Amino acid sequence: MMDFEAGPVLSTAWIGLEVVLAWALVLWVVSLRLKDSSIADPFWAPSFLVVGSAYWIAAGGAGVRGTVALALIALWAGRLGWHLWGRNRREGEDRRYGAMRDHRGASFWWVSLFTVFLLQAVLVWLVSMPLLAAVLSTNPFGPWDWLGILLALVGTVLEGSADAQLKRFKSDPDNDGAVMDRGLWRYSRHPNYFGNAVLWWGLYLLAVGGRGAWTGFAPILMTVLLLKVSGVSLLERDIENRRPGYRDYVRRTSAFIPWPPAR
């Protein structure tokens, strides 16, 4: 159940969709100029801040719950966006986009609009529904909100720590071709993705505190994306060809949820 009318929810959601689609078009034009579609990655997280801010403006501001939700998104988006931007500048266009560019040839310029930028915009909009519920809610702050804040902060720290550990590992030339199985990566093959999922479940609990339990599809969608679409499944598709020790790493290490490694 919601403590707000369906009309404002739909109208505000529609404004958010328009804004994030316009944002995607701008990024697409920039990608054509740079000949680098992987700029979609560092701007993935900031896109949530863009659509969340659109909800805020359209609603004429927000209460404590909406303010906290946007602050948590800003913290996460700033950290992850800056991390991925640095990686993009160091390594150039991601090999996934390069392979797509080679496969599509001359048609890639317009194919990338739909398969990369507009698709990403729609996904951002769908996953952002807990933000919409938090911004529009006037329900009093309560236990669900505090638990949501705790989960969101834990997820943000977990993701950031995992990214920092992997960055340090890859910066050492002696680790070229080796498998990162230290720190958080000893307990999960993708602790950064797990932290990301925890963040979104935390934001969902904020929505639940505002009677926005109807947004439960959003963290489920994000978790599925991380596990089956653009995260674990895609990254591990050919990694054993590039890192010979990865097969043994898979055998002993949890794919997602941190867990003591098998002997």
Side-chain angles (χ1 to χ4, degrees), residues 197-211:
V198 170
L199 162 80
W200 282 101
W201 282 103
L203 290 170
Y204 170 64
L205 292 185
L206 274 169
V208 170
R211 297 186 181 179

Side-chain angles (χ1 to χ4, degrees), residues 2-3 10 14 31 150 162 195 214 216:
M2 296 181 289
D3 63 344
L10 294 175
W14 182 254
S31 78
L150 177 61
W214 60 274

Side-chain angles (χ1 to χ4, degrees), residues 53-218:
S53 299
Y55 296 148
W56 174 290
I57 294 171
V64 175
R65 181 175 292 103
T67 301
V68 169
L70 281 179
L72 290 169
I73 280 294
L75 177 66
W76 168 72
R79 202 287 312 174
L80 181 57
W82 181 254
H83 169 73
L84 294 178
W85 177 259
R87 188 184 71 181
N88 181 259
R89 293 198 60 179
R90 290 191 307 272
E91 301 177 6
E93 186 175 52
D94 189 283
R95 58 188 176 81
R96 295 168 297 172
Y97 299 107
M100 188 188 302
R101 185 184 298 276
D102 293 339
H103 177 68
R104 294 293 182 176
S107 64
F108 177 76
W109 70 275
W110 65 266
V111 171
S112 67
L113 171 62
F114 295 97
T115 62
V116 178
F117 294 95
L118 292 184
L119 175 60
Q120 178 170 292
V122 173
L123 291 173
V124 166
W125 179 67
L126 291 172
V127 175
S128 74
M129 287 298 109
L131 292 178
L132 173 65
V135 167
L136 293 180
S137 174
T138 58
N139 208 44
F141 217 70
W144 284 114
D145 301 289
W146 290 112
L147 181 57
I149 292 172
L150 177 61
L151 272 183
L153 289 175
V154 167
T156 300
V157 171
L158 186 61
E159 182 187 46
S161 299
D163 282 341
Q165 290 173 1
L166 183 60
K167 180 181 178 181
R168 286 196 299 269
F169 178 83
K170 294 175 71 174
S171 66
D172 186 346
D174 292 338
N175 294 326
D176 186 32
V179 175
M180 170 54 161
D181 59 358
R182 310 169 191 173
L184 293 170
W185 300 81
R186 171 177 168 80
Y187 304 99
S188 169
R189 302 202 303 272
H190 303 279
N192 50 346
Y193 293 155
F194 176 74
N196 195 323
V198 170
L199 162 80
W200 282 101
W201 282 103
L203 290 170
Y204 170 64
L205 292 185
L206 274 169
V208 170
R211 297 186 181 179
W214 60 274
T215 64
F217 67 88

